[in-house]
Amino acid sequence: MPDTQAYKLPETVRPQRYQLRLTPDLTACTFAGEETVVLQVGEPVTDIVLNACELTIHTVSAVAADGSTLPGTATLDEPNERAVLRFPRTLTPGPWQLRLTFSGILNDKLHGFYRSTYKDARGQDKVLACTQFESTDARRAFPCWDEPALKAVFQVTLVIDKGLTAISNTAIARETVLPETGKKEVVFADTIKMSTYLVAFIVGEFASTEPVLVDGTPLRVWAVPGKHHLAKFAQEIGAASLSFFSRYYGRRYPGDKLDLIAVPDFAAGAMENLGAITFRETALLVDAQTATRSELERVADVVSHENAHMWFGDLVTMRWWNGLWLNEAFATFMEMLAVDDWKPEWHRWTSFAVSRAAALLVDGLKSTRPIEFPVQRPEEAAGMFDVLTYQKGAAVLRMLEQYLEAEAFRTGISLYLRKHEYDNAETTDLWDAIEESSHQPVRTLMDSWVFQPGYPLVTVRADQHGLVLSQQRFQYLPDGANHEQQWHVPIFLKARTAGGLHTQTALLTEGELRLTLPAPLEWAVVNAGGHGFYRVRYAPDLLSRLTANLQENLSAVERFNLVNDTWAAALAGLTPLTTYLDLLQLFREETDHNVWTAILGSCHYLYRLLDPQQRPALQAFIRTLLDPITKRLGWSPQAGESELTSQLRGELLAALGTLGDDAATQAEARSRYAQYKTNRDSVDRNVVPALVSILAYSGGPAEYEEFRGNSKTATTPQEEQRYLFALAAFRQANLLEQTLTLTVNGEVRSQDAPYLLRSLLLNTDGRERAWTFMKEHWEDMVRRYPDNSIVRMCEGITALVTPALEADVRAFFATHPVKQGAKTMEQHLEKLRIAVACKQREAANLKAYFARVS
Ligand SMILES: [Zn+2]
């Protein structure tokens, strides 16, 4: 295994304070920079090694404590993204000031210091400059010690055109017009001691909301002019979550102001730069009157997530990228807590079941990895931003929190932050703090979840004394390895016995655990509340007693898990697929939208699996399944209904009109959409996306042209995305061909194009052509799209469910490796293998089943 040290900078010199002055030229797409770095030299050196990438270093000098200056030279080591500064004589240990001048480019790859373009209200092209440094791209903007543990204070100065706005991590200390150039020099206050990847600067035409004061901190939302009226919702959840976190963490916000900034071109969802959080527009700007509930939830989630990072990540930071989960799992966990606190009626922890299920899916693969995983090279760090870091990480924290009880957990977190503020920490430091607060052996419990790949399948049977639980690793495909792996599994038991309802927590630490219960046992749930990160398989007699009264015995999350665990068992070949379909028949009266998400997700999966002649039978099955609930819900909200019910209506109608191919629903959708065009209030906001997706599925060239036009004239980011992605949901080859062209002709932003292509790959009517197109344009796409998006785009290959396509996919990626996210790519390939294997194993059974039930 390569040595992490080989990728780390020498420890001979440590930066303490950077004074940075940058002059971006938005027309030439370049920038000029100067920096003075206060250093502590630890041992005599003639060379200083630091990170730099795509920069030209013009002058180098080192100033000693006595004021004497030593000129130096710079040699760039591009493959290693480093610069070596060489001096004619030795720098003695002690304080030095390093002075550099340099220049660089404002690139188009949405990393480092890059440019973003947009059209203003009058249709004129505009340019702005923005940064995105995580994980290792600060080195593209200024020479620096670009490692999370090398924290320093940053003082940023931006020199910009007079009409522009500059934003950085801290408040503006002073602003002056330079007489010689007429430019504006904006000097920002010192930051706290923090990591390089959290530095940010944004320059362009921006407008902001009025600040709201949250415990004394001014909080604003920024956007390009003409859009800040879409900022109110984000400002509300921004203020609510900031205040929630300072209470939860027991410590005030560490910055002097907080700006939330929407950027037209953005590779990730958002970035937690201290005091200057950047977002893609869809994650921040929203019209609360017209957006669907799930679109609002997304904004609330992302804003809360980033705010949570101000403490977890920014104030206390992982020492190296292997500990990324400490940042991301926590921010994801805290995002749920804050949104749940803000809008309890959304039942955010119930919908978290969908995220947990996504993690259980990937973690059931042979190609999974432990949450904490050795990381050396920068592209490996970039590959860590995945479902295992975020969703599995958050799920195991939730499991721990519920096992320990919330207050003991919270006290431990608060203690951890206090001990390590302005510094770095490792996983073990977190367990130390929670052990101190809870007096429980947290480390032993959590090590089994954080350092081992996978998770257990807990098998449950009843005997005359109660329940017998056993654990073994769950995998979709047997890999022939010896699986003696065990976990410390928190069991949350809920059982109905002769004595009434019985609840209990227990720890399954070995192969088997026996729980004594008063007889007779009516039914039992061993992952009550659904917080456990494991799957459960009940013996047939227990299962039938449990499902006899589903809606009464099980909560929504428990029903979700029952569906999802049974589906997984069917995919793994542990349970016949037809048993799963029988189970679905019990859910016709289901009212929770998350449970339906699990059901419909599996139906989509089956649809992609089936040969065209088999699909009508599945569609008939889906229509029967959806019939009672869609009839009951109708097309319009009923007085006093919850937002969740409105969302459910939209999702089910969409499924009935597309997956169910229901002609009556399609006709009704057409008529309602015609009404919607003349009166936008005539259709509930949660039903609008259903109309769009049904019209795409059942429509033709006229709808295509209309939606394409709508995506350009949309007045909110959500509407723009809705119509843009609908272009991948049509079924005619010539229309899908036009959408394919959009992914490479520059008409669609590079932040969106890879995801549009993913949707095309997932479209059963267009997947083969999309695959050929992707192969043909691969080099162009890799050059054009953000590095982090390539592997996400490739998720679409999981829909190419035939043995021949699978072979072709494998052959292609054997010679075209993905630069970032090699592990994730392996997982896509394994998911495809599982689907093809399932198709081969179950095709005949499915045919017989549908012949019987329809
Ligand atoms: Zn995050």
Side-chain angles (χ1 to χ4, degrees):
M1 180 175 284
D3 179 7
T4 303
Q5 292 306 322
Y7 298 95
K8 288 192 177 171
L9 295 167
E11 289 175 4
T12 48
V13 169
R14 293 184 78 90
Q16 294 178 324
R17 178 187 159 85
Y18 292 78
Q19 227 171 314
L20 271 174
R21 188 174 197 272
L22 291 159
T23 310
D25 181 336
L26 300 191
T27 313
C29 294
T30 56
F31 60 91
E34 299 164 34
E35 69 179 343
T36 299
V37 188
V38 177
L39 300 174
Q40 190 63 33
V41 175
E43 54 189 81
V45 289
T46 51
D47 287 357
I48 291 179
V49 184
L50 74 174
N51 294 114
C53 184
E54 294 177 349
L55 293 176
T56 307
I57 299 179
H58 301 293
T59 61
V60 180
S61 62
V63 182
D66 64 6
S68 61
T69 299
L70 209 55
T73 56
T75 312
L76 292 173
D77 170 9
E78 281 291 347
N80 289 309
E81 303 182 351
R82 288 177 177 185
V84 180
L85 311 178
R86 195 146 288 160
F87 296 92
R89 63 176 180 80
T90 306
L91 276 67
T92 49
W96 286 80
Q97 280 191 15
L98 177 67
R99 292 185 182 163
L100 301 177
T101 61
F102 55 93
S103 58
I105 47 160
L106 296 174
N107 69 74
D108 282 321
K109 289 282 283 181
L110 317 191
H111 63 191
F113 200 9
Y114 69 91
R115 72 186 196 127
S116 169
T117 55
Y118 64 97
K119 286 196 191 307
D120 71 6
R122 286 174 307 179
Q124 283 190 320
D125 290 318
K126 295 280 179 176
V127 182
L128 60 87
C130 171
T131 55
Q132 168 60 39
F133 289 166
E134 193 177 18
S135 308
T136 56
D137 291 318
R139 63 189 67 173
R140 294 174 193 274
F142 58 99
C144 58
W145 283 259
D146 200 9
E147 294 178 5
L150 296 173
K151 287 192 171 187
V153 170
F154 295 84
Q155 191 266 301
V156 174
T157 299
L158 293 168
V159 180
I160 60 171
D161 287 346
K162 256 195 306 198
L164 301 182
T165 297
I167 308 167
S168 187
N169 303 89
T170 49
I172 294 173
R174 61 175 192 280
E175 214 175 271
T176 41
V177 175
L178 301 173
E180 60 273 26
T181 57
K183 286 192 174 240
K184 187 161 71 172
E185 184 188 65
V186 185
V187 180
F188 294 90
D190 281 10
T191 67
I192 62 166
K193 198 177 157 199
M194 66 182 200
S195 307
T196 46
Y197 78 91
L198 295 167
V199 176
F201 13 94
I202 298 98
V203 174
E205 289 180 21
F206 278 97
S208 85
T209 58
E210 285 297 311
V212 289
L213 281 184
V214 185
D215 307 326
T217 302
L219 183 148
R220 287 179 193 81
V221 178
W222 294 83
V224 298
K227 290 191 175 171
H228 70 280
H229 64 285
L230 301 171
K232 190 167 172 286
F233 182 83
Q235 196 172 25
E236 279 171 19
I237 175 60
S241 59
L242 199 66
S243 158
F244 174 82
F245 293 135
S246 57
R247 278 177 278 132
Y248 186 91
Y249 294 133
R251 190 203 188 281
R252 58 161 301 167
Y253 167 68
D256 62 359
K257 56 91 183 174
L258 180 57
D259 290 324
L260 312 179
I261 309 142
V263 180
D265 293 284
F266 202 78
M271 176 62 214
E272 69 266 24
N273 316 300
L274 182 86
I277 305 174
T278 41
F279 296 77
R280 63 167 62 202
E281 290 186 340
T282 47
L284 188 68
L285 304 178
V286 69
D287 177 354
Q289 300 311 310
T290 61
T292 65
R293 196 209 65 88
S294 61
E295 287 163 350
L296 293 174
E297 183 178 273
R298 154 119 166 116
V299 172
D301 280 355
V302 181
V303 170
S304 301
H305 179 104
E306 302 310 323
N307 277 355
H309 272 311
M310 298 299 107
W311 290 260
F312 235 102
D314 293 10
L315 182 63
V316 180
T317 312
M318 75 259 142
R319 194 168 302 286
W320 184 249
W321 299 105
N322 62 326
L324 181 71
W325 87 276
L326 272 181
N327 276 12
E328 296 304 345
F330 247 93
T332 306
F333 169 84
M334 294 305 308
E335 141 200 345
M336 303 298 146
L337 276 188
V339 173
D340 191 46
D341 182 73
W342 188 51
K343 281 202 188 290
E345 67 275 21
W346 281 359
H347 299 289
R348 191 62 188 87
W349 282 112
T350 302
S351 49
F352 181 67
V354 177
S355 304
R356 187 189 292 109
L360 287 166
L361 169 60
V362 172
D363 208 25
L365 304 174
K366 292 189 285 184
S367 51
T368 186
R369 60 166 179 86
I371 291 178
E372 187 163 326
F373 190 68
V375 171
Q376 279 96 24
R377 287 172 290 122
E379 56 267 36
E380 291 174 346
M384 294 289 278
F385 291 82
D386 66 2
V387 71
L388 297 166
T389 293
Y390 285 72
Q391 281 78 16
K392 181 182 179 184
V396 300
L397 289 173
R398 176 64 167 172
M399 177 166 71
L400 176 66
E401 185 221 25
Q402 293 294 303
Y403 181 69
L404 295 179
E405 294 185 345
E407 185 53 23
F409 183 83
R410 193 198 64 77
T411 314
I413 300 307
S414 172
L415 185 64
Y416 165 84
L417 289 173
R418 211 160 49 239
K419 276 189 176 167
H420 303 284
E421 61 180 16
Y422 307 112
D423 204 346
N424 299 77
E426 311 218 27
T427 299
T428 182
D429 297 319
L430 178 65
W431 304 150
D432 283 342
I434 306 180
E435 286 198 348
E436 200 176 320
S437 72
S438 68
H439 311 290
Q440 296 260 5
V442 171
R443 184 191 317 272
T444 329
L445 194 156
M446 292 306 282
D447 279 358
S448 75
W449 296 96
V450 173
F451 293 107
Q452 295 194 99
Y455 57 86
L457 172 69
V458 175
T459 304
V460 190
R461 64 183 170 84
D463 69 4
Q464 67 272 35
H465 306 294
L467 292 172
V468 185
L469 278 53
S470 59
Q471 60 164 312
Q472 69 189 92
R473 183 169 173 182
F474 175 86
Q475 286 193 306
Y476 291 97
L477 297 172
D479 63 359
N482 176 19
H483 290 296
E484 294 302 297
Q485 238 179 295
Q486 287 182 347
W487 287 261
H488 284 223
V489 188
I491 300 295
F492 304 93
L493 177 72
K494 175 173 91 173
R496 167 80 61 185
T497 68
L501 199 65
H502 173 92
T503 58
Q504 176 185 347
T505 53
L507 207 54
L508 166 62
T509 55
E510 308 207 329
E512 196 174 274
L513 174 72
R514 287 169 182 274
L515 296 172
T516 308
L517 292 169
L521 173 68
E522 242 179 79
W523 51 261
V525 179
V526 300
N527 187 8
H531 310 292
F533 190 79
Y534 50 86
R535 297 195 190 279
V536 183
R537 196 167 171 223
Y538 295 96
D541 58 325
L542 283 174
L543 184 63
S544 58
R545 279 184 266 160
L546 194 59
T547 53
N549 205 346
L550 267 179
Q551 297 290 332
E552 201 170 300
N553 297 349
L554 302 184
S555 71
V557 181
E558 293 159 4
R559 296 196 299 277
F560 178 98
N561 285 350
L562 181 65
V563 169
N564 189 51
D565 289 353
T566 311
W567 168 242
L571 279 187
L574 301 173
T575 299
L577 197 47
T578 51
T579 305
Y580 173 72
L581 294 171
D582 281 337
L583 177 71
L584 293 192
Q585 312 257 25
L586 304 177
F587 283 85
R588 288 185 190 173
E589 295 298 325
E590 179 58 53
T591 53
D592 182 81
H593 77 101
N594 303 295
V595 180
W596 277 109
T597 298
I599 294 171
L600 294 171
S602 67
C603 291
H604 273 287
Y605 191 101
L606 290 176
Y607 185 81
R608 288 197 289 265
L609 217 72
L610 294 178
D611 293 328
Q613 68 276 15
Q614 287 186 311
R615 289 182 202 144
L618 174 66
Q619 289 175 323
F621 174 83
I622 290 164
R623 285 195 295 274
T624 313
L625 200 60
L626 289 170
D627 183 64
I629 179 85
T630 47
K631 282 221 169 74
R632 184 140 62 81
L633 291 174
W635 285 82
S636 305
Q638 289 145 24
E641 81 175 19
S642 75
E643 282 183 89
L644 293 176
T645 303
S646 312
Q647 177 178 351
L648 176 67
R649 171 183 300 106
E651 290 169 356
L652 296 184
L653 287 171
L656 189 58
T658 60
L659 200 52
D661 197 24
D662 183 58
T665 304
Q666 290 165 358
E668 185 66 26
R670 271 193 296 279
S671 124
R672 288 188 183 254
Y673 186 75
Q675 252 180 305
Y676 173 73
K677 282 197 286 185
T678 53
N679 174 11
R680 298 193 43 145
D681 294 332
S682 65
V683 177
D684 179 59
R685 61 199 169 94
N686 287 296
V687 172
V688 176
L691 302 185
V692 174
S693 65
I694 294 169
L695 264 69
Y697 180 86
S698 60
E703 286 81 5
Y704 188 92
E705 278 316 309
E706 183 173 345
F707 289 181
R708 187 170 169 176
N710 289 354
S711 76
K712 291 181 189 153
T713 55
T715 53
T716 70
Q718 289 73 24
E719 207 175 88
E720 180 197 341
Q721 298 279 306
R722 185 179 303 151
Y723 287 112
L724 175 62
F725 281 85
L727 302 182
F730 282 81
R731 297 163 70 204
Q732 293 87 339
N734 60 328
L735 300 179
L736 292 176
E737 197 63 31
Q738 292 184 46
T739 312
L740 284 169
T741 307
L742 293 181
T743 63
V744 289
N745 72 359
E747 197 173 321
V748 174
R749 289 180 187 280
S750 68
Q751 68 168 9
D752 296 323
Y755 304 104
L756 192 60
L757 189 73
R758 176 172 68 186
S759 298
L760 287 156
L761 284 164
L762 292 169
N763 179 333
T764 311
D765 294 295
R767 59 190 173 186
E768 283 190 52
R769 173 60 193 138
W771 167 239
T772 307
F773 186 90
M774 188 176 110
K775 284 189 294 182
E776 288 167 1
H777 294 83
W778 179 255
E779 308 299 336
D780 186 26
M781 290 174 173
V782 168
R783 191 176 44 75
R784 195 184 276 270
Y785 300 162
D787 291 340
N788 73 336
S789 69
I790 301 295
V791 77
R792 293 178 167 91
M793 168 175 86
C794 291
E795 191 189 354
I797 62 113
T798 58
L800 301 171
V801 197
T802 72
L805 283 170
E806 184 195 359
D808 190 44
V809 167
R810 286 185 183 277
F812 180 79
F813 288 107
T815 52
H816 298 80
V818 171
K819 185 179 153 209
Q820 275 187 13
K823 195 83 209 157
T824 307
M825 199 58 228
E826 249 184 272
Q827 293 160 359
H828 295 335
L829 291 170
E830 189 178 342
K831 284 184 193 168
L832 177 57
R833 177 87 284 275
I834 292 164
V836 173
C838 178
K839 180 187 172 81
Q840 289 170 329
R841 189 177 64 236
E842 299 279 4
N845 302 337
L846 282 174
K847 195 173 173 189
Y849 183 85
F850 290 132
R852 186 159 50 81
V853 299
S854 58

